[in-house]
Amino acid sequence: MPVLKKIALTVTSAALLSGFTLTPAVAADKDKSDDKQPKPPGVMSSLGGERLSMSGSQVNLGPGVPVLPKGLTGRSWIVADAENGDVLAAHNSHWRLPPASTLKMLFADTVLPALQPTQTHKVTESELSGVGEGSSLVGIKEDHTYTVHDLWLGVFLRSGNDAVHVLSEMYGGIPQTVAAMQKHAEELQALDTVVVSPDGYDAPRQVSSAYDLTLIARSGMQKKDFREYAATASADFPGEKKKGKKRDSFEIQNTNRLITGDIGVDPYKGIAGVKNGYTTHAGNTFTGVAERNGKVLLVTVMNPSAEESHAVYKEAAKLLDWGFAASGKVTPVGELVPPKSVDTGTGTSTGGKGAAPAAGADQGTGGQAEAAHASAASKGSSGVGVALAVIGGLLVVVAAAVYLVNRRWPLAGLGSRSAPETKDTGEAADPAEAAEPAASAGESAGKPADKA
């Protein structure tokens, strides 16, 4: 019997004995209703390792390795070491699924280096006209001026599609932004990803995967501004300017519940970002990064089916807990590949079965973003990054570590920009986003058709 088949059978047997994980076939036998659930494709990319092309949960159970958590319902998920790229466990990690607002990580990783944070911009009506119905919004007003810094706070904290559209126009327009994002995805070897909308709003053919979103998050966290925005818990956002009066501001809070907490969800110890999302077709999606005892892990969960409030955060937290407990004990099932432009010196092939750009991928130019990204990467490639914590509302250094891909990449950290208590709720983000705690029990009922 081939070695890979022996490994797969061993994992399945151990999972059945433990009662903690089920392969799709066994789950279908257990509950006939599962036949109605979408199934992963028979052939998925093997980028990062052959085990990652297999359907079902992939983990090497052995002495001292904790079993996977109970109750995992995500269609796809992955747990990886952010520093060395080891994939500790995965479940259908190359399944191409709608990404929702987690795609904004790719948007930010592409566009952030090209725009100066102090740059100001007066918003026009046309820049907001293309925002999809039911979108999450930060509350941008036409004929009002915002800094690029303000707009990025709107993207990261409130997942504002209005902010994404304005930044895209500043970058050169929606088509140019989409093309640059697609080219950057290919540079990162996020080859399951097809970009159609820069904000993650549901669109035909737009897909990504848990594997790709984790690659994208790992890349984004190399950028200081990306790290700080992703870790910000709350901030002031410019409000409406009324004639003869000082412009008001209102408080916005991060919709990542592992940062801010919520009813039934506690802030996760060591969390440092990254991005959550929801649309009708994507369900709930989440990518997070956390540091504990010098170990940095990335986790992505896509479309959990659990009928409970905040299931995507709870499953992500369970997987992070498992990852920290298993780190150093479990044999990896694969790896996060480095960007094409990074020479690891290993001489190994990064390709594999299905390791080609997703069908429909736009081969746009995106030269401006690539050049800016390369410049930013070279400037920050030699330093040791810091983990950040919130003490009295300040961003404070509390730890240090590195990402290793034959060079040092900075570590992400936890932080926030606290804001005054005064806020204008009339200017807050989309009501569906603001009311998310009550609406997220089933995550499909009681929400707008699409909000990314």
Side-chain angles (χ1 to χ4, degrees):
M1 181 181 293
V3 173
L4 286 175
K5 288 187 177 179
K6 285 183 179 179
I7 293 173
L9 287 172
T10 300
V11 171
T12 302
S13 299
L16 287 172
L17 288 172
S18 69
F20 279 76
T21 55
L22 293 173
T23 63
V26 176
D29 290 339
K30 182 182 177 184
D31 188 349
K32 298 287 186 182
S33 65
D34 284 354
D35 291 337
K36 299 178 183 179
Q37 296 296 322
K39 298 294 188 292
V43 177
M44 292 182 284
S45 171
S46 63
L47 186 66
E50 190 69 23
R51 291 285 295 279
L52 302 184
S53 71
M54 301 177 183
S55 62
S57 297
Q58 304 300 318
V59 61
N60 288 317
L61 297 177
V65 178
V67 293
L68 290 172
K70 289 182 178 179
L72 297 177
T73 66
R75 291 183 182 175
S76 175
W77 53 259
I78 191 170
V79 185
D81 187 308
E83 295 177 300
N84 59 30
D86 287 344
V87 175
L88 307 184
H91 180 81
N92 303 326
S93 61
H94 276 294
W95 190 356
R96 291 168 175 170
L97 296 167
S101 280
T102 48
L103 194 66
K104 288 183 172 77
M105 295 187 297
L106 178 61
F107 170 74
D109 197 34
T110 303
V111 176
L112 250 174
L115 301 174
Q116 293 299 316
T118 56
Q119 182 179 345
T120 59
H121 179 76
K122 188 174 183 179
V123 176
T124 66
E125 180 180 3
S126 63
E127 291 171 340
L128 300 176
S129 62
V131 177
E133 183 179 357
S135 287
S136 54
L137 306 169
V138 67
I140 291 172
K141 303 292 185 182
E142 63 182 88
D143 297 326
H144 283 59
T145 299
Y146 301 85
T147 66
V148 167
H149 172 73
D150 294 331
L151 296 171
W152 282 121
L153 287 172
V155 171
F156 278 88
L157 273 66
R158 296 303 302 177
S159 204
N161 289 6
D162 46 358
V164 170
H165 277 249
V166 174
L167 287 166
S168 295
E169 291 300 330
M170 294 178 69
Y171 185 77
I174 299 292
Q176 180 172 326
T177 303
V178 167
M181 289 171 65
Q182 188 67 60
K183 183 171 183 181
H184 186 46
E186 292 166 17
E187 152 63 16
L188 297 178
Q189 302 204 66
L191 304 180
D192 297 326
T193 299
V194 174
V195 183
V196 179
S197 65
D199 50 21
Y201 192 89
D202 279 339
R205 299 184 302 106
Q206 182 156 269
V207 291
S208 191
S209 67
Y211 185 89
D212 280 15
L213 292 172
T214 307
L215 285 183
I216 292 164
R218 192 183 189 211
S219 174
M221 297 301 277
Q222 313 315 314
K223 298 176 177 62
K224 181 177 182 292
D225 286 351
F226 187 108
R227 295 196 305 274
E228 293 184 359
Y229 287 129
T232 298
S234 62
D236 281 343
F237 193 81
E240 187 174 1
K241 178 71 170 69
K242 296 179 180 180
K243 188 175 181 179
K245 294 184 178 181
K246 183 180 178 181
R247 188 174 184 179
D248 290 330
S249 64
F250 57 92
E251 183 186 82
I252 56 175
Q253 289 191 337
N254 201 318
T255 57
N256 178 350
R257 302 308 179 193
L258 292 189
I259 288 180
T260 58
D262 201 359
I263 298 174
V265 180
D266 293 326
Y268 191 83
K269 181 182 178 181
I271 192 69
V274 169
K275 191 71 190 74
N276 55 301
Y278 172 84
T279 66
T280 301
H281 295 293
N284 285 279
T285 58
F286 176 73
T287 296
V289 62
E291 185 270 344
R292 194 173 290 179
N293 298 324
K295 182 64 66 175
V296 188
L297 298 182
L298 283 160
V299 63
T300 296
V301 177
M302 302 188 76
N303 202 347
S305 61
E307 295 289 329
E308 66 171 326
S309 175
H310 302 316
V312 74
Y313 302 111
K314 292 175 181 177
E315 295 189 19
K318 288 179 180 179
L319 286 167
L320 283 170
D321 285 344
W322 176 87
F324 286 121
S327 180
K329 304 171 186 174
V330 67
T331 301
V333 295
E335 66 173 348
L336 299 177
V337 296
K340 289 180 179 178
S341 60
V342 175
D343 180 10
T344 64
T346 62
T348 58
S349 172
T350 56
K353 176 182 67 176
D362 188 347
Q363 302 295 324
T365 56
Q368 181 182 3
E370 290 302 305
H373 175 73
S375 173
S378 64
K379 291 177 183 177
S381 64
S382 60
V384 177
V386 297
L388 305 172
V390 184
I391 299 179
L394 301 176
L395 221 51
V396 183
V397 175
V398 296
V402 294
Y403 286 150
L404 300 177
V405 187
N406 201 40
R407 62 177 185 173
R408 291 185 173 182
W409 287 2
L411 166 68
L414 172 64
S416 78
R417 295 175 173 86
S418 61
E421 290 298 318
T422 58
K423 60 181 177 181
D424 180 358
T425 54
E427 294 291 337
D430 185 278
E433 191 71 40
E436 186 178 337
S440 59
E443 301 298 349
S444 57
K447 283 195 173 185
D450 196 327
K451 71 189 187 74

